[in-house]
Amino acid sequence: GNSVTQMEGPVTLSEEAFLTINCTYTATGYPSLFWYVQYPGEGLQLLLKATKADDKGSNKGFEATYRKETTSFHLEKGSVQVSDSAVYFCALRSSGGSYIPTFGRGTSLIVHP
Amino acid sequence: SAVISQKPSRDICQRGTSLTIQCQVDSQVTMMFWYRQQPGQSLTLIATANQGSEATYESGFVIDKFPISRPNLTFSTLTVSNMSPEDSSIYLCSVDGTSYDEQFFGPGTRLTVL
């Protein structure tokens, strides 16, 4: 079956530091990959996505590249802000099987001034 | 994009009671999804609700415990029945986007069972 593995949190950084949150996956078919963000007290919002190998998704300074050879979709940002403090979920949706999305456990990011 | 609202936003309930959570979408959608998010855990899909048919439940979830209604293309309810403290979670409503791969989520209902 499909699965998504994210690095454990919390990740604690100072403002303007570089961020990487690792995500690897296993899936049947050719999945689409997503990063969702959940700010405190809110539901999940789509942050970025990539639908095929070597695609790069980007939004709000965040980037992630779909790496089929390493089955990874790591989230990066060059300079984090306090307002980026949230929980980040990696997810996939497989084209070859169930339409039901698979989510990782989420990684909490805390950015200090 | 779809805008989704949920009611209530939070509640504190007594063991053995039931709570109905409402989900309203600002556009017509075919499928609506109900998730549970337990503290520190990922999202777990409870069921998928199509208008005009019975909801489809995932393994570990049953209709008697989580009855779902889907009376029209913009609205759904999830009831958490005979609650116990283990039901304390955030319950999220979700719909597919127009590209059918990304999802839109409601703000969630934070339930605490004493």
Side-chain angles (χ1 to χ4, degrees), chain B residues 42-98:
Chain B
S42 183
L43 280 70
T44 303
L45 183 65
I46 298 171
T48 305
N50 286 335
Q51 192 266 337
S53 63
E54 293 274 335
T56 302
Y57 289 83
E58 296 302 304
S59 176
F61 297 96
V62 295
I63 188 170
D64 289 347
K65 175 67 176 178
F66 297 101
I68 287 172
S69 78
R70 183 78 203 275
N72 58 51
L73 291 172
T74 62
F75 187 79
S76 178
T77 67
L78 170 76
T79 299
V80 187
S81 302
N82 188 24
M83 288 184 285
S84 66
E86 291 71 35
D87 295 318
S88 297
S89 281
I90 299 173
Y91 291 86
L92 294 161
C93 172
S94 170
V95 303
D96 280 334
T98 53

Side-chain angles (χ1 to χ4, degrees), chain A residues 19-23 33-36 47-59 61-67 72-77 89-90:
Chain A
L19 168 71
T20 299
I21 300 178
N22 290 337
C23 171
L33 302 175
F34 307 86
W35 278 101
Y36 288 87
L47 180 60
L48 54 85
K49 70 176 184 180
T51 57
K52 61 183 187 297
D54 299 326
D55 270 1
K56 178 186 284 188
S58 61
N59 186 26
F62 290 90
E63 294 183 339
T65 301
Y66 188 145
R67 301 285 188 201
S72 65
F73 193 56
H74 305 321
L75 183 68
E76 296 181 335
K77 186 175 186 182
F89 291 89
C90 186

Side-chain angles (χ1 to χ4, degrees), chain A residues 7 11 21 24 32 44 50 53-54 58 60-61 74 86 89-90 94 102:
Chain A
M7 61 188 288
V11 174
I21 300 178
T24 57
S32 294
L44 278 71
D54 299 326
S58 61
K60 299 181 181 179
H74 305 321
F89 291 89
C90 186
S94 180
T102 302

Side-chain angles (χ1 to χ4, degrees), chain A:
Chain A
N2 297 340
S3 68
V4 175
T5 302
Q6 287 181 240
M7 61 188 288
E8 294 268 342
V11 174
T12 305
L13 296 172
S14 297
E15 206 164 25
E16 299 183 3
F18 184 86
L19 168 71
T20 299
I21 300 178
N22 290 337
C23 171
T24 57
Y25 67 91
T26 57
T28 55
Y30 302 95
S32 294
L33 302 175
F34 307 86
W35 278 101
Y36 288 87
V37 58
Q38 184 177 35
Y39 298 104
E42 298 183 14
L44 278 71
Q45 303 173 25
L46 179 67
L47 180 60
L48 54 85
K49 70 176 184 180
T51 57
K52 61 183 187 297
D54 299 326
D55 270 1
K56 178 186 284 188
S58 61
N59 186 26
K60 299 181 181 179
F62 290 90
E63 294 183 339
T65 301
Y66 188 145
R67 301 285 188 201
K68 193 170 189 299
E69 64 277 14
T70 54
T71 61
S72 65
F73 193 56
H74 305 321
L75 183 68
E76 296 181 335
K77 186 175 186 182
S79 176
V80 294
Q81 305 300 312
V82 172
S83 57
D84 294 325
S85 298
V87 180
Y88 293 81
F89 291 89
C90 186
L92 69 82
R93 209 156 187 186
S94 180
S95 61
S98 166
Y99 59 85
I100 297 170
T102 302
F103 288 85
R105 294 170 64 93
T107 301
S108 175
L109 170 65
I110 301 169
V111 181
H112 294 295

